Amino acid sequence: TAIDASPDALALARENAARLGATVAFVEGDLLPTEPEKFHLIVANLPYIPSGEIPTLSREVQRDPHSALDGGADGLDLVRRLIEQAIPRLEPGGKMLLEIGHDQAATVAEIFAKHGYRDIAIHKDYPGIERFVSASR
């Protein structure tokens, strides 16, 4: 299941899935589908750029829709919401993996811990930047 608030992003994702022969259910929505579906894995690349940093981004990045960039004052508004909303939606032992900003890993790990997640781990990208945080229910 792929969920996005942007119809344009979903249209592009549908094209990519068709080109790859992937079977994916696409849902326009806010973070999680409204049906009480449970998941074994949730992977998200939410907007995580702090609002005040957006004007400093490269011109190329600023061409993206504002809603795809702006994560609120500290960049973690949607991250906090998803971590909390996913608690009843993850199967026991289910995992969540989030892409985050270069300086947000410790804070995101704390948010997971505050909500009772376990096996919290920070993962680096190829250049060695702490770019992903995973946790289990």
Side-chain angles (χ1 to χ4, degrees), residues 58-81:
S58 71
R59 215 176 308 167
E60 177 182 324
V61 174
Q62 288 188 29
R63 288 187 200 134
D64 286 348
H66 188 78
S67 62
L69 303 172
D70 192 350
D74 69 352
L76 298 175
D77 287 359
L78 289 173
V79 169
R80 282 186 188 86
R81 282 185 48 219

Side-chain angles (χ1 to χ4, degrees), residues 101-114:
H102 66 91
D103 59 352
Q104 297 170 330
T107 303
V108 172
E110 288 173 16
I111 297 167
F112 272 123
K114 173 185 165 192

